[in-house]
Amino acid sequence: MKKHVLAVSLLLSAATTFGAGYQLNLQGIRQLAMGGTGVAWPWDASTIFYNPAGLSRIKNIQVYASGVLIAPTTAFGNLQSSAVTAPQTFTPFNVYVGGPIQQGSKFGIGLGVYTAAGIGLKWDDQWIGRYLIQSIDLKAVCFQPTLSYRVSELLSVGAGFVYGTGSLDLRQSLPIHGIYGSGGYSDDVGELHLHGNANGVGFNSGIQIKPSDDFQIGITYRSQVNMSISNGAATFTVPQSVSKLFPNTKFDSQLPLPQVASIGFGYRTMEERLTLQFDLNYTGWNSYDSLRINFTDHTSSLQDNHAPRHYRNTLTPRAGASYKLSKVIAFMAGAAFEPTPVVNGFVSPELPDADRIVMSCGITIKPFPRFTIMAAYEGVSTVTRSASYNYGGFSGTYKTQAATAGIGAYFNF
Amino acid sequence: MRKIYSIGVALILLASCRPSININKDATAGNAEFTNYLAIGNSLTAGYTDGSLTVTGQLNSYPKMLFDQFSMIKVHGAVGKFIQPLLTSDNGYPGPKYILAMTYNPCNPADSSLGPVPYPYPLNNSADATYSATVNNGQINNIAVPGIRAADYKVAGYAQFAAAGNAPYALRFYNNPGTASPNDELLFMVHNLHPTFFTMWLGSNDVLLYATKGGQGIGDGTATPAFGNFYNPADITPVSAFDSCYDLALNSAISTGASGALINIPDITSIPFFTTIPANGMTLLRQGQADTLKGYYASKGITTSFEVGSNYFMIQDHKGLTRQAVPGELILLTCPKDSITCRGWGTTKPIPDSLVLTTDEIQNVQKAVIAYNAFIKQEADLHHLAYVDMNTYFSKMPAGITYNGITYSTSFVTGGAFSLDGVHPTQRGYALIANEIIRTINAFYKSNITSLDVNKYNGVTYP
């Protein structure tokens, strides 16, 4: 059986991991393995993220931890040039602690710490889009204290307060060339470096309906978390004669983690061995209207930058299944179609994005009654997208691939 | 179990191949044949930039850029070498090029600003003056001559006249500079080369030299030749003379059956040379200053309007009258900044006529450009040649043209498209021009020539 898992993994291994847009969908290993579904069925403490109402359905207090390795690469090409991003590895992680306040209680309480967003791209110094983006690194980790109440066997509710914290780091070349360079793509070129810490608040809420042990429904609403940056550092590297025009200064910006409304269904059959899940996520990306960088100091050459993004809302269907082979081992698989929120004409190389077909699989092993190990693999095939970024006068063809593997474990007290 | 799993993870990571995208679209010639390319034109075609001609400017001229793209076409693409009458130095010929440097306000040394200054190193004029065409068997693919007008094409011995006027470019490589007209030289080269494709960008200087001298000459298009076929360079070439000279040159260019592209004339009044110093650039800080000036001019019988804030400069118009500039009038880039800030130019002394384009002078220029372009279009249609509407392309420049993340505009220095003389493009500006020509050729000849990566070329460099 183990060999079989490896074989499947190898088949799927040319894939990406970043969710649509800059949002990550890697908050639980079992859910990751099941195509990202998890709104209806409270499998474990990661329900704090997927549906807070499920927390009061868990039998015991649970400690849950997981981590994911992502090594994404984006390739670009147009008639003049082609480029590939530098190899980078990201390690989003999640920790959840929670469960009923005492065995059999109707109240569940917990805390989730999860990685909600993350992208990172680093292009070659001489690449053709250098005046738009040289590198970007965006991180957001959310802390979510959560309460859940089981109203009845049929209905439970839950909600959590979300505090997000993270950072943005961005570099781009400036078309200010020094006299010591040898040509247009010389090294004597100006650079803007933005670095700032971001934070924001929101909430995550859900209801969970359990008409029977084998049929469950979840409805959740995760609010927007507007990650705002204030007093970030804007550092300019320019030839000495124009340094007055580009003073080092502060900047403000914001990046919304979008609101998401979800509905999910879970159905268990075959003597409780097979569980099927189906979710729909409606993501309010249209709040990402523009990328605004507002500088504290302005000069004739340094003005605020408002780059239009005009993301559109997306509806993502997801399906997954879990098959319990024995009391120890279960297998999972799933699939999803993630439409891109980025519309044509707004595809910028800082976040090239395209529709993705997601396929995933995983395994859980329960070597001891209270302890479970989980592993998941997600494969995403993006279409090769030819698109333009009209604001920057830039167009080309993109393709993103990555290897993603996640592992996690939880312990029931 | 865990060990086996970690091997699995390692294998997954190894198996993930890095994507790559290579767009290889074969360049094709369409209905044209680019085997033998000849470029005809003036300073813009020669690669003139930063107020002079340099070997680097020549090597990055838009015809050289076009040739490189034509060479990528496998069938009917350009073959062999693209020969230009190259200089030997980068210092400028015959005068020094401009570079950016800190300049100091003479009446306030603490006030420094970045501006163009003449390149301080010695020129290499004795070596640059001679060009030996014999090494290339007389082949020259870019016969552009800085300063040349369409009107000059009938002028016998043009090279000598031009050299006397400090434009010795034709003298360097003309086959028979003493007596031949530019058209004779063009015919000579056409019969020598048998070009299959040509580009012709003539006519800018037929209005530009009038405009850059602040509208000297008659200007209304009724000028008559000063002698022979030679029109006063500081005047606007009459449309009839332009048409007949342009037609003559064009017929020479196509006399061996070449196809090609005719490039029309931009509205030169929107280039930085004319738009950098605002006509309302006089700033008054106190009401007292405004009242003093008003009183001063009232005593001379001149009605003016001054207030705290921005005010229109005092100018001298074409008739020698002193008056206040009106909206839309243009102060030339050559108007010395320190004369305005230290010597009262524009306030107590009017800015001389030679540094101002007044409303009727602007209309003279624009009217001539419209008439010339109408004829160029007519000729393109008649001879089934591509018509490159550079006028429309340049008209987008004041608002900015964004290319791969850089917005190019007509802002002086910082706009990136125009060089330090305010008239001629930077190499990046020339690459934008080459791309517009390629776009038009592709549309007209159903060819597929790859465009250039504009940002790969040099723009303005800062100390």
Side-chain angles (χ1 to χ4, degrees):
Chain A
M1 289 313 290
K2 294 158 203 159
K3 276 180 185 168
H4 181 70
V5 173
L6 289 177
V8 171
S9 300
L10 286 169
L11 258 177
L12 294 173
S13 64
T16 187
T17 51
F18 288 136
Y22 46 80
Q23 190 191 29
L24 290 178
N25 297 305
L26 307 167
Q27 285 81 3
I29 297 296
R30 207 182 314 239
Q31 294 87 344
L32 176 63
M34 294 172 72
T37 57
V39 172
W41 212 274
W43 290 95
D44 49 43
S46 64
T47 196
I48 287 173
F49 173 80
Y50 286 93
N51 186 349
L55 192 58
S56 56
R57 301 271 191 201
I58 295 179
K59 297 273 178 307
N60 315 85
I61 289 277
Q62 202 178 86
V63 177
Y64 178 112
S66 66
V68 176
L69 272 182
I70 315 172
T73 308
T74 297
F76 170 85
N78 65 13
L79 281 169
Q80 276 110 26
S81 135
S82 50
V84 181
T85 56
Q88 281 182 298
T89 305
F90 299 89
T91 52
F93 67 95
N94 312 291
V95 176
Y96 303 96
V97 181
I101 47 175
Q102 59 185 49
Q103 198 119 29
S105 165
K106 290 186 165 193
F107 285 96
I109 187 168
L111 173 70
V113 181
Y114 50 85
T115 307
I119 60 161
L121 286 176
K122 189 179 186 311
W123 295 97
D124 188 76
D125 278 351
Q126 311 276 307
W127 97 288
I128 194 167
R130 68 189 307 192
Y131 299 102
L132 291 165
I133 190 75
Q134 200 73 74
S135 70
I136 185 168
D137 193 290
L138 172 70
K139 290 187 185 78
V141 171
C142 289
F143 294 81
Q144 184 192 317
T146 304
L147 275 175
S148 172
Y149 177 66
R150 197 169 74 240
V151 179
S152 66
E153 260 316 289
L154 179 68
L155 178 72
S156 67
V157 296
F161 166 81
V162 175
Y163 171 74
T165 177
S167 64
L168 170 72
D169 189 283
L170 185 152
R171 287 173 193 272
Q172 82 179 84
S173 293
L174 297 173
I176 311 285
H177 296 260
I179 52 174
Y180 303 109
S182 52
Y185 280 104
S186 70
D187 48 3
D188 194 7
V189 59
E191 188 192 64
L192 164 62
H193 179 202
L194 298 175
H195 185 89
N197 293 323
N199 52 63
V201 295
F203 65 92
N204 186 8
S205 61
I207 57 175
Q208 208 258 351
I209 304 160
K210 197 173 174 183
S212 77
D213 279 353
D214 292 328
F215 181 59
Q216 304 188 23
I217 301 164
I219 298 167
T220 63
Y221 174 74
R222 221 164 39 242
S223 77
Q224 173 173 308
V225 179
N226 203 3
M227 300 291 286
S228 63
I229 300 166
S230 61
N231 280 322
T235 312
F236 292 90
T237 308
V238 289
Q240 195 268 330
S241 64
V242 286
S243 56
K244 271 189 210 160
L245 292 175
F246 298 97
N248 291 338
T249 181
K250 303 284 182 192
F251 77 98
D252 292 352
S253 186
Q254 46 193 344
L255 277 166
L257 300 176
Q259 57 181 345
V260 185
S262 301
I263 185 164
F265 304 91
Y267 178 66
R268 194 165 62 178
T269 182
M270 290 173 69
E271 294 161 348
E272 301 190 353
R273 281 176 181 273
L274 179 69
T275 309
L276 302 172
Q277 295 189 149
F278 179 75
D279 283 11
L280 276 174
N281 307 135
Y282 187 68
T283 309
W285 277 112
N286 68 357
S287 57
Y288 193 35
D289 186 52
S290 64
L291 176 61
R292 290 166 183 266
I293 307 287
N294 295 332
F295 296 104
T296 305
D297 298 310
H298 300 97
T299 69
S300 58
S301 297
L302 179 58
Q303 297 296 323
D304 295 342
N305 186 18
H306 295 181
R309 289 293 177 266
H310 297 304
Y311 277 27
R312 67 178 168 203
N313 295 343
T314 57
L315 185 66
T316 305
R318 303 176 183 279
S322 169
Y323 184 78
K324 201 162 140 187
L325 195 69
S326 69
K327 285 200 166 174
V328 178
I329 295 179
F331 291 103
M332 279 132 276
F337 176 73
E338 299 183 342
T340 177
V342 188
V343 294
N344 259 340
F346 295 91
V347 181
S348 86
E350 117 237 332
L351 182 58
D353 199 44
D355 294 341
R356 297 139 197 266
I357 294 163
V358 178
M359 304 234 273
S360 61
C361 60
I363 183 171
T364 61
I365 297 159
K366 203 172 176 181
F368 317 107
R370 286 171 178 272
F371 185 61
T372 303
I373 305 170
M374 305 163 290
Y377 184 82
E378 185 187 56
V380 183
S381 70
T382 62
V383 291
T384 299
R385 187 175 192 187
S386 295
S388 64
Y389 176 45
N390 297 340
Y391 178 75
F394 193 74
S395 59
T397 302
Y398 301 89
K399 188 180 181 71
T400 301
Q401 293 183 347
T404 304
I407 189 161
Y410 60 87
F411 187 81
N412 285 309
F413 287 94
Chain B
M1 174 115 42
R2 273 179 164 169
K3 189 179 169 188
I4 288 167
Y5 189 77
S6 55
I7 292 169
V9 170
L11 284 174
I12 290 161
L13 293 174
L14 282 174
S16 162
C17 60
R18 286 165 62 76
S20 69
I21 289 177
N22 287 302
I23 311 286
N24 284 318
K25 215 170 160 189
D26 278 342
T28 54
N31 304 327
E33 202 181 309
F34 299 96
T35 326
N36 239 332
Y37 167 47
L38 176 67
I40 304 157
N42 51 37
S43 54
L44 296 166
T45 304
Y48 198 95
T49 193
D50 291 332
S52 195
L53 193 65
T54 62
V55 64
T56 301
Q58 291 179 301
L59 291 172
N60 292 286
S61 65
Y62 79 81
K64 176 62 165 60
M65 295 177 189
L66 290 178
F67 173 83
D68 289 344
Q69 302 310 99
F70 295 163
S71 301
M72 289 158 62
I73 303 168
K74 289 200 181 95
V75 180
H76 292 160
V79 292
K81 284 198 274 186
F82 188 75
I83 308 288
Q84 302 189 93
L86 293 180
L87 298 165
T88 59
S89 94
D90 256 340
N91 301 357
Y93 179 78
K97 67 179 177 186
Y98 291 120
I99 57 164
L100 266 187
M102 295 309 282
T103 56
Y104 297 89
N105 183 342
C107 53
N108 179 11
D111 172 22
S112 62
S113 63
L114 203 56
V117 300
Y119 192 65
Y121 294 99
L123 300 170
N124 202 10
N125 282 354
S126 54
D128 280 336
T130 52
Y131 170 78
S132 175
T134 53
V135 289
N136 296 305
N137 299 319
Q139 176 190 349
I140 299 178
N141 297 86
N142 185 352
I143 57 165
V145 175
I148 203 166
R149 297 170 292 170
D152 293 325
Y153 265 72
K154 288 181 183 173
V155 177
Y158 162 80
Q160 301 282 11
F161 292 130
N166 204 30
Y169 302 104
L171 206 52
R172 295 181 64 243
F173 69 92
Y174 267 20
N175 192 50
N176 189 6
T179 55
S181 69
N183 185 58
D184 296 336
E185 294 287 337
L186 171 58
L187 265 179
F188 172 80
M189 200 53 69
V190 166
H191 288 132
N192 193 4
L193 271 184
H194 288 271
T196 58
F197 195 85
F198 74 100
T199 56
M200 186 157 127
W201 196 5
L202 280 177
S204 305
N205 286 332
D206 292 84
V207 286
L208 184 72
L209 301 178
Y210 167 82
T212 54
K213 288 185 169 64
Q216 307 295 297
I218 307 166
D220 61 0
T222 61
T224 51
F227 56 90
N229 290 317
F230 189 74
Y231 286 86
N232 173 12
D235 209 336
I236 292 179
T237 304
V239 175
S240 58
F242 175 88
D243 291 357
S244 97
C245 289
Y246 194 93
D247 187 61
L248 181 75
L250 178 55
N251 278 298
S252 302
I254 59 176
S255 59
T256 58
S259 51
L262 305 184
I263 304 158
N264 76 359
I265 304 159
D267 175 10
I268 53 166
T269 59
S270 65
I271 63 179
F273 188 83
F274 299 104
T275 57
T276 300
I277 302 177
N280 64 341
M282 183 206 308
T283 309
L284 296 180
L285 300 173
R286 298 186 307 275
Q287 188 59 42
Q289 294 174 315
D291 293 341
T292 309
L293 274 175
K294 229 184 287 183
Y296 172 70
Y297 283 108
S299 72
K300 297 181 159 207
I302 300 167
T303 313
T304 56
S305 150
F306 294 106
E307 56 195 31
V308 174
S310 293
N311 294 277
Y312 282 88
F313 285 122
M314 295 304 297
I315 60 159
Q316 196 181 43
D317 73 8
H318 189 52
K319 298 169 201 112
L321 295 175
T322 297
R323 63 172 173 84
Q324 197 164 14
V326 298
E329 295 191 320
L330 303 169
I331 312 294
L332 310 194
L333 188 61
T334 37
C335 181
K337 196 185 161 197
D338 52 354
S339 296
I340 294 175
T341 52
C342 307
R343 289 185 213 119
W345 280 27
T347 47
T348 53
K349 288 175 206 157
I351 296 173
D353 176 41
S354 61
L355 297 173
V356 180
L357 268 195
T358 58
T359 306
D360 39 338
E361 289 165 345
I362 293 166
Q363 282 166 0
N364 287 340
V365 168
Q366 291 175 340
K367 228 171 74 186
V369 169
I370 289 168
Y372 297 166
N373 283 346
F375 185 73
I376 296 172
K377 175 79 169 75
Q378 189 189 318
E379 291 277 83
D381 291 346
L382 179 68
H383 298 286
H384 307 291
L385 299 166
Y387 176 71
V388 183
D389 191 354
M390 205 54 77
N391 186 286
T392 298
Y393 185 72
F394 268 57
S395 71
K396 297 174 193 160
M397 197 81 86
I401 293 173
T402 302
Y403 181 90
N404 286 359
I406 300 182
T407 300
Y408 292 97
S409 75
T410 47
S411 295
F412 187 48
V413 181
T414 54
F418 285 88
S419 71
L420 301 176
D421 59 32
V423 175
H424 297 91
T426 57
Q427 287 162 24
R428 288 180 172 187
Y430 280 123
L432 288 171
I433 286 168
N435 276 351
E436 180 62 11
I437 296 170
I438 287 170
R439 197 186 63 78
T440 311
I441 290 174
N442 282 343
F444 188 82
Y445 288 106
K446 315 231 172 339
S447 55
N448 179 22
I449 304 160
T450 312
S451 60
L452 298 135
D453 177 6
V454 172
N455 301 350
K456 194 174 76 182
Y457 295 88
N458 265 338
V460 174
T461 54
Y462 296 81

